[in-house]
Amino acid sequence: MRLQLSTWQEVDSYLKQNTGVIVPIGSTEQHGPNGLIGTDAVTSEKIAQLISEQHDVLIAPTISIGMAQHHMAFSGSISLKPSTFIAMICDIVTCLTSHGFTHICFVNGHGGNVAPLKVAFSELYSEYSFSKRTCPFKCEVTNWYAGKRIHQLSKELYGSSEGSHATPSEVSLSYYIYPESVKEAVMTPKLAPEGVIRDALDYRKQFPDGRIGSDPSLASIEDGEKICAAAAVDVYEAYQAFLKE
Ligand code: NI
């Protein structure tokens, strides 16, 4: 069930049975020479939609712009500052919980969102902690790219060429979702360098074509289909465990 395609009465009746919601979240940032700028958002969204087709789970609209300040030296990247991102997450969670949702699960496709998401959750909880009131909701972040099935599958498919940004796994998944947007590019060097992420100009200097440790020329639509199915199982399993808390 998708929030954007539901009426308020349908949301009312969903809330009588179920108070969990999945919020897909990604980023709008460069993904190397053959990766789509929307990779992190379109992948999270697809996995969430697949889960909602298979199970009775409400999916909120995808948050497509995240915290990606370090990608700003590449054309097309759009980022929120951490403070803006945190404020946005707090507002979204506050709105959802005001309607009676108790379990807010962010299905995330971008590593840079993890720290500010957790800070946002602490901001929300601190309102209750400081006044010693019981918090009526819980928040969680589930990174689709870090589930156990995905970990296993990416190891089998790409070994040490997976890397950590513009990975063949995420590029494959985006190609499966948008086969008309598959790109051809030569990777030089074949395997991208590794390093520490800081500001945007430092990032561009260390990782000139945007990739970190990966060889996304290995990406394929066929792999993307397997990755999508495995990620949906990983994420749904994590969501079910979260609901039981
Ligand atoms: Ni990504």
Side-chain angles (χ1 to χ4, degrees):
M1 179 175 172
R2 286 172 63 185
L3 184 66
Q4 284 169 301
L5 306 181
S6 305
T7 64
W8 66 266
Q9 291 95 335
E10 286 171 325
V11 178
D12 262 359
S13 53
Y14 175 87
L15 276 163
K16 290 194 179 96
Q17 312 293 326
N18 196 331
T19 56
V21 59
I22 285 179
V23 185
I25 185 163
S27 183
T28 298
E29 65 185 47
Q30 67 81 19
H31 269 76
N34 71 340
L36 313 183
I37 286 176
T39 298
D40 296 347
V42 300
T43 53
S44 301
E45 180 169 81
K46 177 67 182 181
I47 292 160
Q49 282 178 3
L50 188 58
I51 291 171
S52 80
E53 286 161 19
Q54 295 167 345
H55 309 279
D56 184 26
V57 180
L58 184 68
I59 306 296
T62 303
I63 303 170
S64 296
I65 297 179
M67 208 303 287
Q69 60 80 22
H70 47 291
H71 291 293
M72 285 307 300
F74 295 89
S75 298
S77 300
I78 304 175
S79 177
L80 300 175
K81 287 179 193 162
S83 52
T84 315
F85 179 91
I86 292 162
M88 172 189 69
I89 296 298
C90 288
D91 286 354
I92 292 168
V93 171
T94 302
C95 291
L96 287 169
T97 56
S98 80
H99 300 309
F101 289 98
T102 60
H103 289 70
I104 320 298
C105 179
F106 289 85
V107 171
N108 179 44
H110 172 52
N113 290 341
V114 176
L117 272 169
K118 290 189 174 172
V119 173
F121 302 164
S122 291
E123 281 284 343
L124 289 155
Y125 298 148
S126 68
E127 293 286 319
Y128 296 88
S129 301
F130 290 2
S131 56
K132 297 195 173 59
R133 288 178 297 144
T134 304
C135 180
F137 61 85
K138 293 179 168 69
C139 301
E140 183 71 282
V141 50
T142 298
N143 302 310
W144 75 256
Y145 53 82
K148 66 178 181 203
R149 287 171 189 80
I150 287 298
H151 183 77
Q152 186 59 36
L153 190 54
S154 65
K155 210 164 78 181
E156 282 166 26
L157 292 170
Y158 312 117
S160 59
S161 301
E162 172 71 357
S164 58
H165 182 64
T167 66
S169 294
E170 61 180 346
V171 173
S172 290
L173 179 45
S174 71
Y175 285 180
Y176 167 61
I177 304 165
Y178 290 105
E180 67 279 17
S181 297
V182 170
K183 319 283 181 190
E184 292 294 333
V186 178
M187 301 295 156
T188 321
K190 190 121 183 72
L191 206 58
E194 306 261 7
V196 177
I197 295 171
R198 296 190 184 88
D199 65 284
L201 291 182
D202 180 73
Y203 185 111
R204 178 101 192 212
K205 205 163 107 189
Q206 287 193 75
F207 315 110
D209 71 4
R211 299 173 292 145
I212 303 181
S214 65
D215 176 10
S217 68
L218 301 171
S220 73
I221 294 171
E222 297 71 34
D223 289 354
E225 185 170 9
K226 290 182 212 154
I227 288 162
C228 191
V233 179
D234 276 344
V235 169
Y236 186 65
E237 202 171 81
Y239 178 66
Q240 285 295 103
F242 171 53
L243 286 186
K244 289 201 186 91
E245 276 181 30

